[in-house]
Amino acid sequence: MAIERDSLLYQIVETERIETNSVHHQAINKLGKGLRATAHTQDGITEAFELKDHPFLVGVQWHPERMTEHPCHAALFRSLVTASKQYSHSGTNVI
């Protein structure tokens, strides 16, 4: 899977390419307003997306929870925990 260099996902995994375990029978066709695709498979399927101007909204279509033995996949969960702690300490409601 190829990752856009100007994405939060790239900042998290620190690489432009990672192996994923996608097993789709459905995939994203069109992203909603404000969302942008940040990772694609070689055949063009969107594997990750982000919300512009949001501190931490990253959606993925593969199963990183089944690959946490690999540092880049585990990093996705560490970053989620870190972002959650920052929100809880900020006193801000994020929707």
Side-chain angles (χ1 to χ4, degrees), residues 6-84:
D6 65 341
S7 67
L8 179 56
L9 181 59
Y10 176 84
Q11 292 174 23
I12 293 166
V13 300
E14 300 179 325
T15 186
E16 291 181 39
R17 291 202 161 292
I18 61 173
E19 294 294 321
T20 60
N21 57 354
S22 296
V23 287
H24 299 297
H25 68 278
Q26 295 179 329
I28 292 172
N29 181 33
K30 182 179 177 185
L31 290 168
K33 183 179 179 181
L35 296 173
R36 75 176 185 112
T38 56
H40 295 89
T41 60
Q42 189 173 3
D43 60 357
I45 293 174
T46 298
E47 286 290 340
F49 60 90
E50 299 175 16
L51 180 62
K52 292 180 181 182
D53 303 322
H54 190 282
F56 192 94
L57 192 152
V58 177
V60 300
Q61 287 208 106
W62 76 95
H63 294 278
E65 75 279 5
R66 296 181 184 163
M67 301 179 77
T68 56
E69 69 278 3
H70 300 283
C72 61
H73 298 288
L76 189 56
F77 292 100
R78 283 193 304 278
S79 65
L80 174 62
V81 170
T82 298
S84 298

